Each structure stands twice: as C-alpha cells, then as structure tokens.
C-alpha cells in the first residue's frame, strides 16, 4: 500500500515538473502538452470536465436501471407462480439475461485490464448473453416454459 502511494506521489510530482518544463513562452502551462505528457507517462489519465459529467450521468442512469430491473424481477417471481403465461416466460427470460449481462460486465470492469483483453471479454459476454437469451426463448417455445419448469422443480 505504501509503495502504491509513493508511486502515485512520484507520478504527480513528475507530471508537475514536466508541465512546468512544457510551459509556453509566457509562463503558462499548455493543457495539450500536459495531457500528452500524462498519457505518455502512462500513470495518470485525465478526462475533460464535460465527458466526466456526461459519463457520471450515464453511470447514474445505468445504476438506476439496474435497481429498477431488480425490483421488477422481484415482482415477476410471485406473478410467475400465481399466473404462468408465455408473455411472462419471455419477459423473465429477457430480464434474467439482462440482469446477468450487467452483472458479468461489472465483474469484467473490475478484473479485466488491457485494451485487447477488455474487447475480447466484452465480445465473450455479449456472445454468452445472446446465447442465454435465445436458449431460454427456445426452452419457452419448445418446452413447458420457465414458470411451469420452476413450479415443477418445486413439486419434486
């Protein structure tokens, strides 16, 4: 932990020194030069204030969507038991697939690093989610459906 903190402090001081060295003839730091230096260092990555605000709004909406989907899934459970129907089977298939897709996406965000690995992992998750949804739809169409299948499991 101490080594990580010392590396960050070194990186911040190093970037400040570079920024001062890159100042234009009037003693002002040029933002482009500072950003380019930071990216070249590979230690500190900054974003513009506008993209930070828009990405935080998108993250907030995504978080809200996850919570709404969780509440909807909680409501679907008793509905599936009380009145199983094909429309509910397909709705549960879509909701479970989306819920799982978002969950695995968060795990990948936390544990997969590197551009190529992230792209490959995202493609794999998309493929897995697509296969899951179509598999559940196939089960709903060609078999008893999710609601009746769960009811049959409870009867065992």
């Amino acid at each position: 932990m101490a080594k990580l903190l010392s590396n960050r402090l070194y990186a911040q001081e190093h970037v400040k020194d570079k920024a001062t060295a890159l100042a234009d003839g009037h003693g002002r730091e040029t933002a482009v030069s500072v950003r380019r230096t930071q990216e070249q260092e590979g230690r500190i990555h900054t974003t513009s204030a506008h993209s930070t605000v828009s990405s935080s709004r998108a993250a907030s909406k995504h978080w809200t969507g996850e919570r709404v989907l969780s509440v909807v899934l909680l409501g679907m459970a008793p509905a599936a038991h009380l009145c199983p129907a094909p429309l509910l089977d397909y709705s549960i298939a879509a909701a479970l697939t989306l819920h799982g897709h978002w969950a695995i996406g968060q795990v990948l965000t936390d544990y997969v690093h590197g551009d190529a690995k992230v792209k490959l992992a995202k493609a794999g998750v998309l493929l897995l989610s697509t296969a899951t949804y179509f598999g559940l739809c196939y089960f709903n169409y060609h078999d008893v459906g999710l609601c009746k299948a769960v009811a049959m499991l409870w009867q065992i």
Side-chain angles (χ1 to χ4, degrees), residues 1-15 43-44:
M1 181 71 169
K3 185 176 181 180
L4 179 65
L5 289 175
S6 67
N7 284 344
R8 285 188 181 174
L9 289 174
Y10 169 77
Q12 289 173 352
E13 289 174 7
H14 190 66
V15 168
R43 294 185 182 146
I44 298 175

Side-chain angles (χ1 to χ4, degrees), residues 77-96:
H81 179 69
L82 296 174
C83 56
L87 178 63
L88 192 57
D89 286 336
Y90 288 101
S91 299
I92 289 173
L96 285 176

Side-chain angles (χ1 to χ4, degrees), residues 39-149:
E39 290 172 358
Q40 289 170 349
E41 289 295 321
R43 294 185 182 146
I44 298 175
H45 299 284
T46 59
T47 58
S48 68
H50 177 67
S51 67
T52 303
V53 170
S54 64
S55 67
S56 69
R57 283 187 193 140
S60 176
K61 287 182 180 182
H62 181 78
W63 184 86
T64 303
E66 288 175 342
R67 298 305 153 261
V68 167
L69 182 64
S70 297
V71 170
V72 167
L73 278 169
L74 286 173
M76 283 183 175
H81 179 69
L82 296 174
C83 56
L87 178 63
L88 192 57
D89 286 336
Y90 288 101
S91 299
I92 289 173
L96 285 176
T97 303
L98 183 59
H99 186 71
H101 179 80
W102 282 343
I104 294 172
Q106 290 301 314
V107 171
L108 293 179
T109 299
D110 290 342
Y111 295 107
V112 177
H113 306 288
D115 290 336
K117 290 179 185 178
V118 168
K119 286 180 182 178
L120 183 63
K122 284 184 179 183
V125 169
L126 185 61
L127 181 67
L128 177 67
S129 296
T130 304
T132 300
Y133 178 69
F134 285 116
L136 290 173
C137 288
Y138 180 85
F139 180 77
N140 285 336
Y141 187 75
H142 292 287
D143 210 334
V144 294
L146 290 174
C147 297
K148 288 182 183 176

